[in-house]
Amino acid sequence: MKKYLVIGNPIGHSLSPLIHNYWMKKYHLIDSVYEKKKVEKKDLIGIVDQVRSGEIKGVNITVPYKKEIIPLLDEIKGDAQLTQSVNTLCKVNNEVHGYNTDTKGFKYSLDDSHLPNNLEYNFIDCKNKNIFIIGAGGVTSSILEAFIDTANKIYITNRTKEKAKELKKLGDISITLLGRKKNTIEVVEWGEKPEICDVVINTTSVGLTRDENLNLDFKDYQNNKNTLFYDLIYNPKETKFLKEARLRGNKTMNGKMMFIWQAQIAFHMWTGVEAEIDGDVIKLLNND
Ligand code: ATR
Protein backbone atom coordinates (compact mmCIF):
# COMPACT_ATOMS: atom_id res chain seq x y z
CA MET A 1 0.00 0.00 0.00
CA LYS A 2 1.31 3.45 -0.91
CA LYS A 3 0.43 5.84 1.86
CA TYR A 4 0.03 9.61 1.52
CA LEU A 5 -0.81 12.12 4.22
CA VAL A 6 -1.81 15.70 4.82
CA ILE A 7 -0.64 16.91 8.22
CA GLY A 8 -1.58 20.00 10.18
CA ASN A 9 -3.36 21.22 13.28
CA PRO A 10 -6.31 21.57 13.01
CA ILE A 11 -6.80 19.22 10.07
CA GLY A 12 -10.51 18.31 10.17
CA HIS A 13 -11.41 20.90 7.51
CA SER A 14 -8.87 19.66 4.94
CA LEU A 15 -10.32 18.63 1.59
CA SER A 16 -6.99 17.23 0.36
CA PRO A 17 -8.00 13.57 1.05
CA LEU A 18 -11.19 14.08 -0.98
CA ILE A 19 -9.39 15.32 -4.09
CA HIS A 20 -6.35 13.02 -3.95
CA ASN A 21 -8.39 9.88 -3.28
CA TYR A 22 -10.72 10.89 -6.14
CA TRP A 23 -7.76 11.05 -8.52
CA MET A 24 -6.22 7.85 -7.14
CA LYS A 25 -9.44 6.04 -7.95
CA LYS A 26 -9.89 7.77 -11.31
CA TYR A 27 -6.36 6.88 -12.43
CA HIS A 28 -6.53 3.32 -11.04
CA LEU A 29 -3.81 3.75 -8.41
CA ILE A 30 -5.60 1.08 -6.45
CA ASP A 31 -2.74 0.44 -4.04
CA SER A 32 -2.67 4.08 -2.88
CA VAL A 33 -4.47 5.83 -0.05
CA TYR A 34 -4.38 9.44 1.15
CA GLU A 35 -5.31 10.31 4.74
CA LYS A 36 -5.34 13.32 7.01
CA LYS A 37 -3.54 13.39 10.34
CA LYS A 38 -3.55 15.94 13.11
CA VAL A 39 -0.01 16.24 14.45
CA GLU A 40 1.86 18.15 17.13
CA LYS A 41 5.14 19.89 16.41
CA LYS A 42 7.07 17.09 18.13
CA ASP A 43 5.62 14.56 15.65
CA LEU A 44 7.08 16.27 12.57
CA ILE A 45 10.48 14.60 12.76
CA GLY A 46 8.84 11.14 12.87
CA ILE A 47 6.81 11.97 9.75
CA VAL A 48 9.94 13.06 7.89
CA ASP A 49 11.65 9.80 8.94
CA GLN A 50 8.69 7.80 7.61
CA VAL A 51 9.06 9.53 4.24
CA ARG A 52 12.78 8.75 4.26
CA SER A 53 12.14 5.08 5.04
CA GLY A 54 9.47 4.86 2.32
CA GLU A 55 6.71 4.05 4.80
CA ILE A 56 4.93 7.20 3.62
CA LYS A 57 5.20 8.04 -0.07
CA GLY A 58 4.17 11.69 0.00
CA VAL A 59 3.05 14.35 2.46
CA ASN A 60 1.21 17.64 2.20
CA ILE A 61 1.83 20.12 4.98
CA THR A 62 -0.74 22.64 6.05
CA VAL A 63 -1.22 25.22 8.81
CA PRO A 64 0.75 25.79 11.02
CA TYR A 65 3.78 23.72 9.94
CA LYS A 66 4.71 24.99 6.46
CA LYS A 67 7.69 26.86 7.87
CA GLU A 68 8.40 24.74 10.94
CA ILE A 69 9.05 21.64 8.83
CA ILE A 70 11.95 23.26 6.95
CA PRO A 71 14.84 22.62 9.43
CA LEU A 72 13.90 18.92 9.49
CA LEU A 73 14.31 18.43 5.72
CA ASP A 74 17.42 17.50 3.72
CA GLU A 75 16.73 20.11 1.08
CA ILE A 76 14.09 22.60 -0.04
CA LYS A 77 13.63 23.52 -3.67
CA GLY A 78 12.56 26.42 -5.89
CA ASP A 79 9.53 28.30 -4.64
CA ALA A 80 9.91 26.66 -1.22
CA GLN A 81 13.26 28.43 -0.86
CA LEU A 82 11.95 31.77 -2.05
CA THR A 83 8.84 31.65 0.14
CA GLN A 84 10.27 29.74 3.12
CA SER A 85 7.06 27.72 2.97
CA VAL A 86 6.80 23.99 2.24
CA ASN A 87 3.52 22.23 1.47
CA THR A 88 4.76 19.03 -0.24
CA LEU A 89 7.33 16.39 0.75
CA CYS A 90 8.90 13.86 -1.62
CA LYS A 91 11.63 11.28 -1.22
CA VAL A 92 14.49 11.84 -3.67
CA ASN A 93 17.49 9.44 -3.54
CA ASN A 94 17.09 8.64 0.16
CA GLU A 95 16.62 12.30 1.03
CA VAL A 96 13.44 14.14 1.97
CA HIS A 97 12.92 17.25 -0.13
CA GLY A 98 10.40 20.03 0.48
CA TYR A 99 8.53 21.81 -2.30
CA ASN A 100 5.99 24.58 -2.51
CA THR A 101 3.10 23.99 -4.93
CA ASP A 102 0.98 26.87 -3.56
CA THR A 103 2.76 29.56 -5.58
CA LYS A 104 2.35 27.77 -8.91
CA GLY A 105 -1.18 26.70 -7.92
CA PHE A 106 -2.08 30.33 -7.35
CA LYS A 107 -0.41 31.44 -10.62
CA TYR A 108 -2.27 28.80 -12.61
CA SER A 109 -5.58 29.92 -11.10
CA LEU A 110 -5.07 33.29 -12.82
CA ASP A 111 -3.63 32.05 -16.10
CA ASP A 112 -5.95 31.36 -19.02
CA SER A 113 -3.54 28.86 -20.58
CA HIS A 114 -4.63 26.68 -17.66
CA LEU A 115 -8.29 27.13 -18.46
CA PRO A 116 -10.22 23.97 -17.63
CA ASN A 117 -12.36 22.87 -20.58
CA ASN A 118 -15.77 24.53 -20.92
CA LEU A 119 -15.54 26.45 -17.67
CA GLU A 120 -16.10 30.13 -17.28
CA TYR A 121 -13.55 31.89 -15.20
CA ASN A 122 -12.37 35.39 -14.33
CA PHE A 123 -8.80 35.12 -15.58
CA ILE A 124 -6.63 38.20 -15.39
CA ASP A 125 -3.24 38.98 -16.86
CA CYS A 126 -1.15 40.22 -13.94
CA LYS A 127 1.77 41.50 -16.00
CA ASN A 128 2.63 45.10 -15.12
CA LYS A 129 -0.40 45.31 -12.86
CA ASN A 130 -0.74 46.79 -9.38
CA ILE A 131 -1.53 44.28 -6.67
CA PHE A 132 -2.84 44.84 -3.14
CA ILE A 133 -2.22 41.94 -0.76
CA ILE A 134 -4.12 41.88 2.53
CA GLY A 135 -2.55 39.76 5.28
CA ALA A 136 0.88 38.42 6.14
CA GLY A 137 0.10 34.95 7.45
CA GLY A 138 1.50 31.52 6.60
CA VAL A 139 0.24 31.41 3.01
CA THR A 140 0.97 35.02 2.03
CA SER A 141 4.63 34.51 1.04
CA SER A 142 3.44 32.03 -1.62
CA ILE A 143 1.05 34.63 -3.04
CA LEU A 144 3.64 37.40 -2.95
CA GLU A 145 6.13 35.20 -4.79
CA ALA A 146 3.59 34.50 -7.53
CA PHE A 147 3.42 38.20 -8.41
CA ILE A 148 7.06 39.18 -7.98
CA ASP A 149 8.36 38.49 -11.47
CA THR A 150 5.57 40.27 -13.38
CA ALA A 151 3.68 42.82 -11.26
CA ASN A 152 4.34 46.53 -11.55
CA LYS A 153 3.80 47.26 -7.87
CA ILE A 154 2.83 45.10 -4.89
CA TYR A 155 1.31 46.68 -1.79
CA ILE A 156 1.05 44.64 1.43
CA THR A 157 -1.00 45.49 4.47
CA ASN A 158 -1.43 43.51 7.67
CA ARG A 159 -3.06 44.21 11.02
CA THR A 160 0.32 43.49 12.62
CA LYS A 161 2.60 45.70 10.57
CA GLU A 162 5.81 43.97 11.67
CA LYS A 163 4.74 40.77 9.84
CA ALA A 164 4.11 42.73 6.63
CA LYS A 165 7.61 44.21 6.94
CA GLU A 166 9.11 40.71 7.40
CA LEU A 167 7.29 39.57 4.30
CA LYS A 168 8.61 42.52 2.31
CA LYS A 169 12.14 41.57 3.42
CA LEU A 170 11.63 38.04 2.09
CA GLY A 171 10.10 39.33 -1.15
CA ASP A 172 12.95 41.80 -1.61
CA ILE A 173 15.38 38.86 -1.80
CA SER A 174 13.51 37.61 -4.88
CA ILE A 175 13.30 41.15 -6.25
CA THR A 176 17.11 41.39 -6.05
CA LEU A 177 17.59 37.92 -7.58
CA LEU A 178 15.33 38.89 -10.48
CA GLY A 179 16.94 42.31 -10.90
CA ARG A 180 13.60 44.09 -10.52
CA LYS A 181 13.19 47.62 -9.22
CA LYS A 182 13.85 47.89 -5.50
CA ASN A 183 10.60 49.63 -4.55
CA THR A 184 8.33 47.02 -6.18
CA ILE A 185 6.99 45.95 -2.75
CA GLU A 186 5.57 48.54 -0.39
CA VAL A 187 4.04 48.11 3.07
CA VAL A 188 0.80 50.03 3.66
CA GLU A 189 -0.60 50.89 7.12
CA TRP A 190 -3.58 48.76 8.16
CA GLY A 191 -6.75 50.68 7.27
CA GLU A 192 -5.02 52.78 4.62
CA LYS A 193 -5.30 52.15 0.92
CA PRO A 194 -2.84 52.42 -1.91
CA GLU A 195 -3.77 53.66 -5.39
CA ILE A 196 -6.55 51.74 -7.17
CA CYS A 197 -5.14 48.27 -7.86
CA ASP A 198 -5.89 45.64 -10.51
CA VAL A 199 -6.01 42.75 -8.05
CA VAL A 200 -6.99 42.97 -4.37
CA ILE A 201 -6.40 39.73 -2.55
CA ASN A 202 -7.42 38.58 0.90
CA THR A 203 -4.92 36.13 2.39
CA THR A 204 -6.15 36.53 5.98
CA SER A 205 -8.33 34.05 7.81
CA VAL A 206 -11.09 36.67 8.12
CA GLY A 207 -14.20 35.31 6.40
CA LEU A 208 -13.70 31.65 7.30
CA THR A 209 -16.53 32.18 9.74
CA ARG A 210 -19.58 33.37 7.85
CA ASP A 211 -20.10 37.15 7.67
CA GLU A 212 -16.82 38.02 9.35
CA ASN A 213 -15.63 41.29 7.89
CA LEU A 214 -12.21 42.81 7.31
CA ASN A 215 -13.55 46.31 7.98
CA LEU A 216 -11.49 47.81 5.20
CA ASP A 217 -13.14 50.42 3.04
CA PHE A 218 -13.25 49.70 -0.70
CA LYS A 219 -15.82 52.37 -1.68
CA ASP A 220 -13.36 53.71 -4.29
CA TYR A 221 -13.95 50.50 -6.26
CA GLN A 222 -17.68 51.16 -6.79
CA ASN A 223 -18.60 50.08 -10.36
CA ASN A 224 -14.98 49.19 -11.12
CA LYS A 225 -15.39 46.29 -13.50
CA ASN A 226 -11.68 45.76 -14.06
CA THR A 227 -10.40 45.01 -10.58
CA LEU A 228 -10.38 41.41 -9.45
CA PHE A 229 -11.13 40.79 -5.77
CA TYR A 230 -9.62 37.41 -4.92
CA ASP A 231 -10.18 35.61 -1.61
CA LEU A 232 -8.04 32.55 -0.86
CA ILE A 233 -10.91 31.19 1.23
CA TYR A 234 -13.24 28.86 -0.71
CA ASN A 235 -15.39 27.61 2.13
CA PRO A 236 -17.64 29.57 2.46
CA LYS A 237 -17.78 29.96 -1.30
CA GLU A 238 -18.47 33.69 -1.09
CA THR A 239 -17.01 35.53 1.88
CA LYS A 240 -18.29 38.96 2.84
CA PHE A 241 -15.17 40.38 1.16
CA LEU A 242 -16.25 38.79 -2.14
CA LYS A 243 -19.94 39.50 -1.72
CA GLU A 244 -19.30 43.20 -1.22
CA ALA A 245 -17.00 43.21 -4.26
CA ARG A 246 -19.64 41.51 -6.40
CA LEU A 247 -22.26 44.02 -5.29
CA ARG A 248 -19.90 46.88 -6.19
CA GLY A 249 -19.57 45.40 -9.68
CA ASN A 250 -15.99 44.13 -9.32
CA LYS A 251 -14.72 40.79 -10.62
CA THR A 252 -14.42 38.10 -7.95
CA MET A 253 -12.71 34.76 -7.48
CA ASN A 254 -12.41 32.42 -4.51
CA GLY A 255 -9.56 30.06 -3.60
CA LYS A 256 -10.98 26.86 -5.04
CA MET A 257 -8.95 26.78 -8.25
CA MET A 258 -5.73 27.53 -6.37
CA PHE A 259 -6.49 24.65 -4.02
CA ILE A 260 -7.15 22.30 -6.94
CA TRP A 261 -4.00 23.32 -8.81
CA GLN A 262 -1.68 23.00 -5.80
CA ALA A 263 -3.07 19.49 -5.28
CA GLN A 264 -2.74 18.62 -8.97
CA ILE A 265 0.93 19.64 -9.01
CA ALA A 266 1.72 17.61 -5.86
CA PHE A 267 -0.17 14.60 -7.26
CA HIS A 268 1.93 14.77 -10.43
CA MET A 269 5.17 14.93 -8.44
CA TRP A 270 4.28 11.81 -6.46
CA THR A 271 2.58 9.64 -9.07
CA GLY A 272 3.73 10.95 -12.46
CA VAL A 273 0.05 11.29 -13.41
CA GLU A 274 -1.12 14.62 -14.76
CA ALA A 275 -4.63 14.69 -13.33
CA GLU A 276 -7.20 16.43 -15.48
CA ILE A 277 -8.97 19.40 -13.96
CA ASP A 278 -12.51 19.17 -15.21
CA GLY A 279 -16.04 19.99 -14.12
CA ASP A 280 -16.26 16.80 -12.06
CA VAL A 281 -13.33 17.61 -9.81
CA ILE A 282 -14.54 21.18 -9.40
CA LYS A 283 -18.02 19.91 -8.50
CA LEU A 284 -16.47 17.53 -5.98
CA LEU A 285 -15.33 20.55 -3.98
CA ASN A 286 -18.55 22.52 -4.19
CA ASN A 287 -19.69 23.14 -0.68
CA ASP A 288 -22.74 25.34 -0.79
P1 ATR B 1 -1.95 31.23 9.03
O1 ATR B 1 -0.56 30.73 9.12
O2 ATR B 1 -3.01 30.23 9.20
O3 ATR B 1 -2.16 32.13 7.83
P2 ATR B 1 -1.53 33.33 10.72
O4 ATR B 1 -0.08 33.28 10.42
O5 ATR B 1 -1.99 33.58 12.11
O6 ATR B 1 -2.21 32.06 10.30
O7 ATR B 1 -2.18 34.43 9.73
C1 ATR B 1 -3.50 34.78 9.72
C2 ATR B 1 -3.63 36.12 8.97
O8 ATR B 1 -4.95 36.64 9.16
C3 ATR B 1 -2.69 37.19 9.49
O9 ATR B 1 -2.36 38.07 8.45
C4 ATR B 1 -3.55 37.85 10.56
O10 ATR B 1 -3.18 39.15 10.92
P3 ATR B 1 -2.12 39.36 12.13
O11 ATR B 1 -0.79 39.05 11.58
O12 ATR B 1 -2.29 40.75 12.55
O13 ATR B 1 -2.56 38.38 13.22
C5 ATR B 1 -4.86 37.91 9.82
N1 ATR B 1 -6.00 38.07 10.71
C6 ATR B 1 -6.59 37.14 11.51
N2 ATR B 1 -7.65 37.68 12.17
C7 ATR B 1 -7.74 38.98 11.76
C8 ATR B 1 -8.64 40.06 12.04
N3 ATR B 1 -9.66 39.90 12.89
N4 ATR B 1 -8.43 41.24 11.43
C9 ATR B 1 -7.41 41.40 10.58
N5 ATR B 1 -6.53 40.42 10.23
C10 ATR B 1 -6.68 39.23 10.83
Side-chain angles (χ1 to χ4, degrees):
M1 204 62 168
K2 291 179 182 141
K3 191 173 164 186
Y4 299 85
L5 274 186
V6 56
I7 58 167
N9 190 357
I11 197 65
H13 65 284
S14 174
L15 295 179
S16 292
L18 185 66
I19 193 164
H20 284 282
N21 284 318
Y22 170 83
W23 283 329
M24 281 162 181
K25 196 170 163 202
K26 176 171 176 180
Y27 294 104
H28 310 293
L29 308 174
I30 45 170
D31 58 342
S32 299
V33 63
Y34 187 111
E35 291 167 353
K36 57 185 161 191
K37 188 170 183 184
K38 181 177 162 187
V39 300
E40 306 296 330
K41 189 177 174 189
K42 63 174 173 42
D43 305 325
L44 294 177
I45 186 80
I47 299 277
V48 174
D49 283 344
Q50 282 180 296
V51 176
R52 195 175 284 112
S53 71
E55 218 174 309
I56 302 177
K57 184 120 198 301
V59 178
N60 280 139
I61 322 279
T62 187
V63 176
Y65 301 126
K66 289 183 179 186
K67 198 179 173 73
E68 294 190 30
I69 195 85
I70 292 176
L72 308 176
L73 303 175
D74 298 307
E75 216 169 307
I76 61 170
K77 300 284 196 182
D79 288 333
Q81 265 175 345
L82 297 171
T83 59
Q84 291 296 302
S85 173
V86 164
N87 76 328
T88 303
L89 303 186
C90 295
K91 182 178 170 182
V92 182
N93 303 327
N94 285 324
E95 289 189 338
V96 183
H97 292 184
Y99 299 84
N100 174 321
T101 72
D102 287 330
T103 292
K104 226 178 235 132
F106 178 73
K107 272 189 183 170
Y108 286 2
S109 76
L110 288 171
D111 175 0
D112 65 2
S113 68
H114 289 85
L115 177 72
N117 287 338
N118 306 322
L119 294 167
E120 256 184 51
Y121 232 73
N122 270 332
F123 291 104
I124 188 162
D125 178 4
C126 295
K127 215 168 166 188
N128 293 321
K129 297 282 168 56
N130 294 335
I131 314 294
F132 183 25
I133 298 176
I134 304 164
V139 72
T140 318
S141 63
S142 300
I143 305 307
L144 176 63
E145 193 55 44
F147 287 119
I148 272 177
D149 52 348
T150 57
N152 174 54
K153 187 94 192 177
I154 306 169
Y155 299 96
I156 308 174
T157 195
N158 192 51
R159 183 179 59 177
T160 310
K161 189 176 177 186
E162 212 42 50
K163 278 166 72 181
K165 283 187 179 167
E166 285 301 313
L167 200 57
K168 172 176 158 57
K169 263 192 222 161
L170 187 65
D172 280 344
I173 297 171
S174 300
I175 295 279
T176 307
L177 285 174
L178 289 164
R180 302 218 58 204
K181 58 181 197 290
K182 284 203 166 50
N183 62 349
T184 301
I185 305 173
E186 199 176 309
V187 172
V188 174
E189 291 288 338
W190 184 248
E192 285 182 12
K193 264 180 312 180
E195 62 189 298
I196 291 281
C197 285
D198 304 284
V199 183
V200 179
I201 167 152
N202 176 37
T203 73
T204 76
S205 47
V206 178
L208 273 173
T209 309
R210 230 165 248 281
D211 289 339
E212 244 182 335
N213 201 346
L214 272 170
N215 292 323
L216 295 174
D217 168 16
F218 291 107
K219 277 206 280 293
D220 301 1
Y221 288 83
Q222 190 63 39
N223 299 324
N224 178 331
K225 293 188 180 61
N226 298 320
T227 296
L228 173 67
F229 279 72
Y230 193 135
D231 200 323
L232 296 191
I233 296 170
Y234 59 90
N235 185 9
K237 197 166 157 180
E238 188 181 61
T239 56
K240 205 157 186 194
F241 175 75
L242 290 190
K243 184 177 176 191
E244 287 177 358
R246 177 172 56 80
L247 294 175
R248 278 193 304 268
N250 314 136
K251 290 183 189 162
T252 61
M253 189 187 287
N254 71 17
K256 188 163 71 175
M257 292 310 290
M258 174 189 172
F259 173 76
I260 294 175
W261 277 115
Q262 65 73 32
Q264 197 264 8
I265 300 163
F267 190 82
H268 183 239
M269 290 168 80
W270 295 327
T271 65
V273 174
E274 201 144 338
E276 188 190 355
I277 293 184
D278 56 12
D280 288 343
V281 78
I282 291 170
K283 231 187 287 158
L284 187 72
L285 296 170
N286 276 352
N287 31 57
D288 37 12

